[in-house]
Structures are given as structure tokens and as C-alpha cells.
Amino acid sequence: MAVWALGINHTTAPVDLRGRFAFALDQIAPTLNSLRSDIGNRLGRQPEAAILSTCNRTEIYCAGTKHEIDSTVEWLAQSGQVQSGVLREHSYMLQDAGVARHAFRVASGLDSMVLGEAQILGQLKDAVRVADEAGALGTTLNQLFQRSFAVAKEVRTSTEIGAHSISMSAAAVRLAGNLFEDLSQVKVLFVGAGEMIELAATHFAARSPKAIAIANRTLERGEKLASRFGGEVMRLADLPARLHEFDVIVSSTASQLPIIGLGAVERALKARKHRPMFMVDLAVPRDIEPEVKALEDVYLYTVDDLAHVVQTGHANRQAAVAQAEAIIDAGVQSFVHWMDQRHVVPLIKQLNNQADEWRALELARARKQLAKGEDIDAVLEALSRGLTQKMLHGAMAELRAADPESRQRASAAIEHFFLRKER
């Protein structure tokens, strides 16, 4: 069997392109049927298939008699109504061991925006369940995914991968958690709608805050981001009047001048009756006037502040990732070994069937001899001799072959399989 995968994710494709290939969970089954039928027309046999689709990735996993990556690319490009060349430019294509390594890293949270996040494992399990219910899974992909779940479990129980975040956004969440005892009770405002805000929103949304809002110059772009996290969108012009509503403010725009001034924050604190505000300025140049940091009830962090927090845990993160990668390496080797063994399964079955046939023949002959009253020891002797002769007949015939090259190959094989003293 051949295994291949095609995917796009947050590191290879912009969100608008990813959106063209996003499949809701209830769309997966009919989509799998379409994919398998399309490739089956080329192969003559439908492949095994599964589709993982989240806000950050769409991945197709397949197994068949030969690799059909080109056909898979063409099918996905057509389903998203883009040129196949555009899709190739923003996708990754994997085979065999590469597929296993990627699936194991995805399941373990090593390929996520937030290192070690657990949500992706549940999404992968949902994708496998839907594929199984649609009759699209077979032995090969089932093994791949069950092993990915086992590897993910080992990574999460044997390492601290989930405890060490890798971005400034994650550091911001950690610092906010130090100020507010329960982040599920806070309201978060994101100012801007670029990549930094998207990443920050992903981190904060994972903690299920009470409310999320996006303030952006362009409402359309803000609405797209807000819809991902179940939040509301507002205009930047409304920011001063509504600043007091939010406990956490994260800002990252391309403005050349601060958009949140000292006066606006002072008025917000007064309206909040000096309940604390946690503010993060991810912009360069600054979005928030530096004087705000001097206010007693404001906790303002800049890019430099967060970079220091991130670096503090660098050694621990590297150790956790190294441990996780070692576990994944072992899992990949095990899967490749299983795949290699699959190639000889038909031969093993034939060998077992032949041995069973010989055994049945000799047992039948022995039973007849015993029924005639022949001596038990003599019958056992004949039984063992008959089995031995049948097992060695082929090897003996090869040793007596007229072709010297055939005799040499037979001699080497017989020495290897029958005459080794050390096992």
C-alpha cells in the first residue's frame, strides 16, 4: 500500500485561500465520496481517505495501491475553484513516512499555532470518526490514525509540551492569567485584524473569555476575524467611548501614531471605578501611548516586555520539543516497519496455508494408520518424517538444480533459514 497526504495550513496559505478549502464536519462524508470516486476512476479502485478541516488547516490523507498525489491536487483545486498551480504553491505533499511524521506532529500539537494545544487532537478524532462512518477508512489509514492518537497521548503524558508556549501572544495570555484569576470572566478587545491579532485572538479564545470584540479600520476584515471567534466588531472611531467595557486590550495596527491615548485610558479607568486593565501593545511603532504604563490600575506590556517572558522559558520549551520529537521518531519507525510487513502478508498467508495443508494430509494418514491398529510410535515417526520431507522438498530440489547460480542462491537461503545456530 502507498500512503500520501496533501494539505494547506496557517504556515503555507493565507486565510482567504484556506477558506476556499474549509469543509464543515457534516460536509466531510459527501466530500470523501466525491474524492474517492474521482481518484477511483484513475486507479480502478477507490483509495482509503480522510479529511481534516479546521480554521487553520485542511488536510487529505489517502492510502491506495500507488501514490496519487497529482490526482488529489487536481480534485482539491477543482473543489476550491482555484488553479492547481496556485494550490501547489501554498500546499505540502507528503508520502509514506513523511505522512506518518506529519500526522503524529499534528495530533501531538507540534504543528499548531499554539504549541501543544489539545483541541487539534479532538478535531482529528472527529475527522477519523466521520471517515470511518462513511466507509472511507481501511486497515492502513486506521493504523496510521490509531498510532497518531497513541503517540499524542505519550507526548502529552511524558513531556511538558503543553506547558511551554512559544509566542508572545501565548506569553500575553499567561500574564493576563496572573492578573485575572479566571480568564473566562474577562472581556477582551483586539485592536487591528492582522496576523499578530489573529494569533493573539487564537490564544485568548482558547481560554473561552466572556466576550471578544475586534476594533478595526475596515469593518469587513474585522468581521471575518470576529466571526471565527464568535465575537463582535466595532469601528476604531468607537474605541474611546467603549474602552471601559474591556478588561484586556491587545493592539497591533500599522498606524504610525498611537491610537489609544493617555486621556482615553484615564476616562476608561474612571468609568470602571479603577478596576484593573491589562493592555498589550504588539505594534511597532506603538499603538498605546507609553505614559499609560504609569497609571496605577493599568498593566501595560510591550513587544520587548513579552519577548523577555518568552525567552525565560526557552530552555524548557526546547527540551519538551526534543522529547516529543524523539517519541514521534519512534512512532514513525514503528509505522514504517508495519507498512513494510504489510507487503509480505500475502506471502505469509500462502506459507501458512501450505503448512496447514501438509499438516492436514499427514494427520489424516496418521489417523488411518492408528485406526488399523498400527504401533503408535511407528505412526508418530512416520508423521514427523512425512512433515519433514514435505517442508524440505523444495529446498532439496533447488540444491539438486542443474543451474549453478540457482544452487548458490539456494545454499545461501538454506544456511540463513535452517542452519543458523544463533537466533
Side-chain angles (χ1 to χ4, degrees), residues 233-386:
V233 65
M234 71 172 73
R235 298 181 184 275
L236 279 182
D238 298 330
L239 192 58
R242 296 194 57 187
L243 197 61
H244 68 280
E245 298 176 20
F246 300 95
D247 308 291
V248 174
I249 297 95
V250 181
S251 186
S252 179
T253 73
S255 175
Q256 295 301 304
L257 297 172
I259 57 176
I260 300 177
L262 176 64
V265 178
E266 286 177 328
R267 289 191 294 275
L269 283 173
K270 186 175 181 180
R272 290 171 59 83
K273 298 182 180 179
H274 291 274
R275 284 183 291 113
M277 297 176 71
F278 179 83
M279 307 184 78
V280 179
D281 190 349
L282 297 174
V284 179
R286 293 172 183 264
D287 277 346
I288 303 174
E289 287 186 342
E291 292 81 6
V292 169
K293 194 165 190 173
L295 296 175
E296 186 175 347
D297 298 303
V298 172
Y299 298 82
L300 173 61
Y301 293 87
T302 66
V303 170
D304 290 344
D305 297 327
L306 294 179
H308 177 71
V309 175
V310 168
Q311 289 301 319
T312 301
H314 180 74
N316 288 336
R317 285 198 311 276
Q318 291 302 107
V321 170
Q323 288 177 321
E325 294 287 8
I327 292 170
I328 289 169
D329 284 342
V332 171
Q333 291 176 14
S334 176
F335 179 73
V336 169
H337 178 66
W338 178 83
M339 285 283 288
D340 289 341
Q341 286 184 320
R342 293 283 295 168
H343 293 301
V344 298
V345 166
L347 183 59
I348 292 172
K349 287 183 177 179
Q350 290 178 23
L351 186 60
N352 283 329
N353 289 339
Q354 181 65 80
D356 284 341
E357 183 180 331
W358 290 336
R359 184 174 60 84
L361 287 171
E362 293 304 320
L363 278 174
R365 181 178 291 116
R367 288 191 178 103
K368 287 181 181 179
Q369 292 172 341
L370 289 173
K372 293 178 181 178
E374 295 186 19
D375 180 67
I376 291 179
D377 288 338
V379 171
L380 290 175
E381 182 70 24
L383 172 66
S384 63
R385 188 181 303 110

Side-chain angles (χ1 to χ4, degrees), residues 391-412:
M391 288 190 296
L392 296 180
H393 174 74
M396 292 299 195
E398 288 296 317
L399 284 175
R400 298 188 185 103
D403 180 11
E405 187 176 341
S406 296
R407 290 200 304 273
Q408 186 176 0
R409 286 199 305 268
S411 296

Side-chain angles (χ1 to χ4, degrees), residues 120-282:
I120 187 63
L121 181 59
Q123 292 168 329
L124 183 58
K125 288 183 176 181
D126 286 340
V128 173
R129 174 181 54 78
V130 171
D132 189 33
E133 291 173 351
L137 283 191
T139 302
T140 302
L141 284 191
N142 188 58
Q143 274 287 324
L144 173 70
F145 291 124
Q146 294 306 319
R147 287 168 183 263
S148 74
F149 301 153
V151 166
K153 181 178 180 180
E154 186 175 356
V155 166
R156 294 178 190 282
T157 56
S158 302
T159 76
E160 295 184 359
I161 197 70
H164 305 298
S165 301
I166 61 172
S167 71
M168 287 188 288
S169 296
V173 173
R174 185 177 300 175
L175 290 170
N178 292 339
L179 178 62
F180 300 105
E181 185 176 341
D182 185 0
L183 290 183
S184 67
Q185 298 302 310
V186 305
K187 296 182 177 181
V188 186
L189 171 65
F190 298 100
V191 184
E195 290 183 6
M196 288 293 286
I197 289 298
E198 182 178 358
L199 184 59
T202 300
H203 281 75
F204 274 97
R207 303 294 289 272
S208 302
K210 188 174 184 180
I212 288 178
I214 307 291
N216 196 52
R217 294 188 195 281
T218 306
L219 276 183
E220 182 181 359
R221 189 171 182 182
E223 285 171 350
K224 286 183 179 180
L225 189 57
S227 64
R228 276 186 52 191
F229 302 106
E232 66 165 313
V233 65
M234 71 172 73
R235 298 181 184 275
L236 279 182
D238 298 330
L239 192 58
R242 296 194 57 187
L243 197 61
H244 68 280
E245 298 176 20
F246 300 95
D247 308 291
V248 174
I249 297 95
V250 181
S251 186
S252 179
T253 73
S255 175
Q256 295 301 304
L257 297 172
I259 57 176
I260 300 177
L262 176 64
V265 178
E266 286 177 328
R267 289 191 294 275
L269 283 173
K270 186 175 181 180
R272 290 171 59 83
K273 298 182 180 179
H274 291 274
R275 284 183 291 113
M277 297 176 71
F278 179 83
M279 307 184 78
V280 179
D281 190 349
L282 297 174

